Amino acid sequence: MNKRPGHVTVTTEVGHCSFCNRTRNLRREEHQLGALVRTIVTCETCHRTLSSSIGVAPEPAAAEAPAELEPAELEPAEVEAAKVEAAAEEKPSPKRAPAKPAARTRATKGKTPQKPRSTATRRTTRKK
Amino acid sequence: MTEKAVKVDRLEKALGANKVLRGISLEAHPGEIFGLLGPNGAGKTTTLRIICTLLAPDAGSVEVLGFDTQVAPEEVRRRVGVVTAEIGVYPRLSARENIAYFAELSGVLDGELDRKVEAVLDRLDMGSFAKQRAESLSSGQKQKVAIARAIVHDPPVLMFDEPTSNLDVLASREIRDFMVESKGRGKSVIFSTHVLHDAERLCDRVTIIHQGRVVAGGPTAEVRGRYHDLEDAFLSLVEAAT
């Protein structure tokens, strides 16, 4: 996407306008100012400015997913280290694994009762 | 007179893992409007919250008219009035009741309460809606209530954190006029804003902060320097510091 200074990104969203005091379409303009971005939110009905603020523009590298280096660009030692890390990541964590079946059994019990019972009350009574 | 109304010295503050302030120092004097500028997340509001004793600093110190915020926080609160963008008035109370309630909280005595509330209602021209419930007031009128409750105890230091962000043109102008009037009465006004045009017109001195550090500070004309206006200077200074 074009993020040069002067570029304006316009989006609309539904939100509360404090001037109209009701839900309206709000227009969000993001004016790129180099390293900064000015965000102006206006109401599309009354055209009044709800907020105008200056923030730091997200860096392109941070905004997108960090690109992984090609294996060719890495040193052999780094490739080995990356392989070991990847293998370690692939292993399922010992704490999480047992939690899944337990959750499933609970869910299945709740959804499909083994025998149709006449009322829920009777079940409670039996328990007591 | 060289007495400092607010003196912030090497202030540091971390909120969770995020280090918000990294050694902020600034001074605001009586009878001036001091602009605290910076992009979102720069640390402006955190600085103001520490000055008004809502947050404690991790390092550094803040003095308001000679009172340290950590040694004598109650003395500091008596001398500070704060207006923020989030107005937060009690909707079921009338404008007058809101002001009277905050006056009592600020330690205004019973004998003086009515006189002070009346004085502030007159000063801000709120007579026409003083008896209305706050929920029925417009944004500008609510902001006037917020200002009235901040000044009802007549504090020498006033802090405005984005006071015009939810207001229309006319209401914003009234707030700006009020700040100028307060300056004329010898108050120290600290004004945090993104509207750099307002800052340029109103502020005697400004400090620009970015990523928890002071990027530039001094008289407004000096900070603007060779740039066309304060906004250009602000953008260049912040970009250089990024």
Side-chain angles (χ1 to χ4, degrees), chain B:
Chain B
M1 195 166 76
T2 56
E3 189 199 352
K4 296 164 187 83
V6 177
K7 185 184 176 194
V8 173
D9 188 28
R10 287 170 286 174
L11 205 58
E12 290 183 21
K13 179 72 185 174
L15 297 174
N18 185 17
K19 194 150 192 183
V20 185
L21 304 180
R22 299 159 190 260
I24 296 272
S25 295
L26 53 92
E27 287 173 1
H29 303 277
E32 76 168 7
I33 301 179
F34 177 85
L36 190 57
L37 314 176
N40 285 331
K44 304 183 295 293
T45 301
T46 305
T47 306
L48 294 183
R49 283 182 178 167
I50 292 174
I51 295 172
C52 67
T53 74
L54 284 176
L55 287 176
D58 293 341
S61 65
V62 178
E63 282 183 15
V64 176
L65 293 160
F67 292 99
D68 191 299
T69 52
Q70 291 191 286
V71 178
E74 289 181 1
E75 294 297 330
V76 172
R77 281 178 216 143
R78 282 196 194 105
R79 288 161 176 80
V80 169
V82 186
V83 179
T84 62
E86 287 97 34
I87 299 165
V89 290
Y90 288 107
R92 300 297 177 99
L93 298 184
S94 70
R96 176 194 290 274
E97 286 164 344
N98 264 290
I99 299 162
Y101 178 58
F102 279 90
E104 282 187 59
L105 291 179
S106 304
V108 176
L109 301 173
D110 279 351
E112 287 187 320
L113 190 72
D114 284 342
R115 185 181 61 76
K116 286 209 168 183
V117 172
E118 281 305 319
V120 85
L121 287 171
D122 276 353
R123 186 176 165 195
L124 293 171
D125 196 20
M126 296 170 65
S128 59
F129 58 88
K131 288 180 183 171
Q132 277 184 44
R133 275 190 179 184
E135 63 191 355
S136 68
L137 302 177
S138 70
S139 301
Q141 289 170 330
K142 280 182 191 165
Q143 189 65 302
K144 274 193 174 182
V145 176
I147 292 175
R149 74 178 178 195
I151 63 166
V152 68
H153 58 300
D154 197 24
V157 177
L158 289 170
M159 299 200 287
F160 291 83
D161 187 10
E162 306 266 355
T164 58
S165 64
N166 291 319
L167 302 182
D168 61 15
V169 182
L170 289 174
S172 301
R173 193 170 71 181
E174 286 192 52
I175 305 291
R176 289 196 298 271
D177 292 346
F178 175 78
M179 284 195 282
V180 173
E181 188 206 329
S182 300
K183 172 190 162 185
R185 289 172 177 238
K187 311 285 184 194
S188 174
V189 180
I190 300 178
F191 178 35
S192 163
T193 184
H194 283 124
V195 188
L196 296 167
H197 186 58
D198 283 354
E200 187 165 10
R201 273 193 301 171
L202 297 174
C203 297
D204 301 290
R205 293 188 309 117
V206 294
T207 284
I208 298 175
I209 60 175
H210 179 47
Q211 293 173 341
R213 290 194 180 89
V214 173
V215 174
T220 310
E222 233 174 67
V223 172
R224 187 179 59 215
R226 60 191 168 81
Y227 294 98
H228 172 64
D229 56 18
L230 190 61
E231 181 157 322
D232 282 354
F234 175 87
L235 294 174
S236 301
L237 289 164
V238 171
E239 270 191 43
T242 302

